[in-house]
């Protein structure tokens, strides 16, 4: 006796097979799109607010004390650092005290001239304003009072110690 398999089982099998293939391709496309997005943008925007160079003067009018993190959103060499730094900002509860500025599409020379001419507290700080992959600028009373260049070379423990010494959240 040969057991006959109904044709509707074959139809169900084909539908399940097609749905699975479509789902796999959809998830693959979604993964690639997400990966491409993060390659072009900084993860910092998920944690802290982003600011444009033209908005700094207006922001200073309302907030005299903050940290400005400046880097390129497309620089793949600092992505791991930014993931760790994002965690540090959350750990220290600095979401409202740190701003991010993306240097992509910004004339870096003009930005540094703006800082040097309008926002430095002394000539020592003016000399520290140089182009780097990732920088932190401490603004106190509307002026840059401290600069950390190439912060992606710092350990998170060292950065934590430096930022805590700045005493930013007690403003």
């Amino acid at each position: 006796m040969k057991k006959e398999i109904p044709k509707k089982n074959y139809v169900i099998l084909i539908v399940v097979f097609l749905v699975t293939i479509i789902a796999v391709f959809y998830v693959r496309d979604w993964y690639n799109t997400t990966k491409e997005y993060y390659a072009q943008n900084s993860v910092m925007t998920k944690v802290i607010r982003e600011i444009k160079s033209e908005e700094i003067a207006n922001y200073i009018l309302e907030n005299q004390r903050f940290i400005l993190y400046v880097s390129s959103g497309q620089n793949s060499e600092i992505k791991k650092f930014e993931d760790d730094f994002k965690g540090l900002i959350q750990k220290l509860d600095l979401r409202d005290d740190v701003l991010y500025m993306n240097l992509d599409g910004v004339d870096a020379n003009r930005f540094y001239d703006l800082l040097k001419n309008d926002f430095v507290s002394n000539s020592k700080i003016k000399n520290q304003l140089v182009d780097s992959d990732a920088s932190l600028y401490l603004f106190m009373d509307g002026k840059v009072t401290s600069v950390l260049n190439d912060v992606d070379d710092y350990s998170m423990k060292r950065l934590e110690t430096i930022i805590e010494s700045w005493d930013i959240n007690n403003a």
Side-chain angles (χ1 to χ4, degrees):
M1 238 193 264
K2 186 177 173 189
K3 186 174 178 184
E4 197 169 308
I5 300 173
K7 291 186 184 198
K8 87 172 187 183
N9 286 359
Y10 288 113
V11 172
I12 292 172
L13 177 64
I14 290 171
V15 168
V16 168
F17 186 69
L18 289 175
V19 167
T20 303
I21 289 174
I22 291 169
V24 166
F25 279 107
Y26 175 77
V27 170
R28 181 183 147 274
D29 286 345
W30 177 77
Y31 172 76
N32 287 337
T33 301
T34 303
K35 189 175 174 182
E36 185 178 316
Y37 173 79
Y38 283 114
Q40 298 296 319
N41 297 294
S42 174
V43 297
M44 299 306 292
T45 56
K46 286 188 164 204
V47 178
I48 57 179
R49 292 176 289 187
E50 186 172 359
I51 192 168
K52 306 284 184 215
S53 60
E54 311 82 52
E55 300 168 344
I56 292 175
N58 291 334
Y59 187 83
I60 287 175
L61 293 174
E62 296 179 21
N63 302 288
Q64 295 281 305
R65 193 175 196 175
F66 63 94
I67 297 171
L68 179 65
Y69 171 67
V70 177
S71 73
S72 167
Q74 297 179 354
N75 187 344
S76 61
E77 296 173 5
I78 61 174
K79 296 295 183 187
K80 179 169 178 358
F81 164 77
E82 287 187 345
D83 282 334
D84 296 339
F85 187 52
K86 178 178 80 167
L88 179 64
I89 289 172
Q90 291 171 327
K91 176 183 172 188
L92 297 177
D93 193 27
L94 294 173
R95 285 179 212 98
D96 295 330
D97 300 311
V98 179
L99 294 175
Y100 168 69
M101 191 178 103
N102 188 346
L103 281 179
D104 299 333
V106 172
D107 181 2
N109 291 328
R110 217 168 114 199
F111 168 68
Y112 291 117
D113 287 344
L114 172 73
L115 287 180
K116 287 176 183 178
N117 295 331
D118 297 344
F119 302 115
V120 294
S121 58
N122 58 50
S123 61
K124 179 183 171 197
I125 298 296
K126 187 181 252 188
N127 294 333
Q128 292 177 348
L129 294 174
V130 294
D131 192 18
S132 80
D133 287 342
S135 299
L136 284 176
Y137 303 107
L138 173 65
F139 282 77
M140 299 285 240
D141 299 323
K143 298 288 183 187
V144 178
T145 59
S146 197
V147 176
L148 292 178
N149 289 315
D150 296 318
V151 291
D152 52 316
D153 295 335
Y154 288 56
S155 71
M156 282 304 123
K157 188 68 179 158
R158 183 172 177 207
L159 267 180
E160 181 177 355
T161 304
I162 292 170
I163 291 172
E164 285 176 342
S165 73
W166 287 348
D167 199 27
I168 195 74
N169 351 11
N170 295 332

